[in-house]
Amino acid sequence: MQTGSPRSFIFPKNFRSKKWILCGVALVLAISTFVVIDKHRVHSAPQADDPKCAKVTSLAPEEVSGKARDWTIGKGVIAWGSGSATLRCGVDELPPNVNLCISVDGVDWVLDEVTLEEKGVSVLRTYGRSPAVELTYSGPREEVGGILASLNTAVDWIPQEGKCVGSGDISY
């Protein structure tokens, strides 16, 4: 290469040295590792340290709605299908509310109707159980019932302290 050519300003003279190549490879690996790890991070819920959450995650199925379980980073969390479905144990318990409640095999789940309307994402939280468990699902809505049924074994053993009521449950 001639001195003063444009290339001599872009690349150092010893660009092909092993040091530069190793530094470049190390930088690429470090960035790739960060991106891959961050993709699998699911934020833990406030009460994720509750020992019951460890049991919930251990009892959760390996597959939901045909989607395999992902490896995740975070306490009391699970994901399936590259994060299309996530479960977080230890979320805040819901107070009584007027949102849609779905009872699946004896477990009451309350739908966050605002998030569904605004983002098209189904977010459901157990009602009347402590710690509370939250499912977030970004796939077709018709699959939610099957996913909740598959999570039943992981959740139904948590003692039920309250339940959803409808207008038919109230006496005047």
Side-chain angles (χ1 to χ4, degrees), residues 64-133:
V64 296
S65 195
K67 295 165 181 58
R69 192 167 172 170
D70 303 328
W71 65 274
T72 55
I73 298 172
K75 218 171 196 179
V77 299
I78 306 170
W80 297 268
S82 299
S84 64
T86 59
L87 179 140
R88 297 186 324 137
C89 180
V91 294
D92 294 329
E93 295 172 46
L94 291 171
N97 61 74
V98 294
N99 288 333
L100 176 65
C101 181
I102 305 161
S103 185
V104 180
D105 297 328
V107 177
D108 292 341
W109 296 87
V110 176
L111 176 66
D112 181 343
E113 297 175 64
V114 173
T115 302
L116 180 60
E117 186 177 316
E118 291 177 356
K119 299 179 182 177
V121 176
S122 299
V123 178
L124 297 110
R125 191 175 295 193
T126 56
Y127 185 79
R129 295 177 191 265
S130 180
V133 176

